[in-house]
Amino acid sequence: MIPAMPASAAAAVRPRRASRVALRFGRVAVMGTVAVLILIAGVWASWGTAQHVMLTKGRERGTVEVTRCADGRCTGPYSPVSAGSQARESVVIEDSVAVAEGRTYTVVVKPGSDDVVRSGPAGVLYAWVPLGGALLLASVVVAGGLRLTRLAWLLAGSGVALLSTAFAVV
C-alpha cells in the first residue's frame, strides 16, 4: 500500500485481482475442454474406418474393381487375397474423391457386411482425415482461447501435414 493511498482504495484492488484470476481460470478451463472435445471427436470420427484398415489381422482382405457409382456408393466384384476370404459378386465402397469408376483398389471387408474400406497407406491416411480437420479446428481454439501459440502452431502443422499427405497419396 502506498502511504498516500487511503486504506479503502487498497481493499478495492484485491477483489478485482481475484475476479481476474477467476475469469482467467474459467476461460482456460472452458477452452481447454472445448479443444479436448474437438480432438476426441476427430479421433472418434476417424476410428470408425481406421480400425478396419489398421487392425487387419483376421479380417477379409482383397481387391474390388469399381464398376458402378451412384448415390454416394460404388459397387463392384470382390476378389479375395487373404486366406478364408470369400469372393463376392458385389461389395459396396463409399464414393469419394479416393474412388473412381473403372479402377481396382485393395480393400478390407467390414465384418458382417458387404461394405469395404480401402487398405494400405492410402486407406490409413484417408481414414484419419477427420482427425486432421479436428487438429486444425482445435489449433484455432488453443490459439484464441488458451493463448498458447506454440501449441496451436504444432496442432495446425500436424493437421496440415496429415491432410496434405492424405491428399497426395489418395
Side-chain angles (χ1 to χ4, degrees):
M1 183 166 118
I2 300 174
M5 184 186 293
S8 62
V13 172
R14 230 178 240 136
R16 287 184 187 156
R17 177 178 283 172
S19 65
R20 282 188 188 148
V21 169
L23 285 174
R24 182 162 188 232
F25 176 76
R27 176 180 52 86
V28 168
V30 169
M31 289 296 121
T33 302
V34 169
V36 168
L37 286 175
I38 289 170
L39 292 174
I40 289 172
V43 170
W44 186 270
S46 296
W47 188 246
T49 302
Q51 66 179 326
H52 302 295
V53 178
M54 294 174 68
L55 307 174
T56 59
K57 187 176 181 179
R59 298 191 194 268
E60 294 183 69
R61 289 172 285 156
T63 60
V64 62
E65 182 181 347
V66 177
T67 56
R68 183 174 162 265
C69 291
D71 299 327
R73 301 169 63 134
C74 293
T75 58
Y78 171 79
S79 304
V81 173
S82 63
S85 183
Q86 299 174 358
R88 294 176 170 89
E89 288 182 26
S90 180
V91 292
V92 177
I93 188 168
E94 180 183 327
D95 184 15
S96 65
V97 291
V99 178
E101 198 170 321
R103 296 193 57 196
T104 302
Y105 301 100
T106 58
V107 294
V108 175
V109 179
K110 289 184 179 181
S113 71
D114 284 334
D115 292 340
V116 295
V117 291
R118 283 190 67 176
S119 62
V124 170
L125 288 169
Y126 185 70
W128 288 105
V129 164
L131 177 61
L135 285 166
L136 286 174
L137 183 58
S139 72
V140 174
V141 173
V142 168
L146 297 176
R147 298 188 178 129
L148 299 173
T149 55
R150 288 185 183 151
L151 179 60
W153 278 110
L154 179 71
L155 290 172
S158 300
V160 167
L162 177 61
L163 294 173
S164 299
T165 307
F167 178 77
V169 171
V170 172

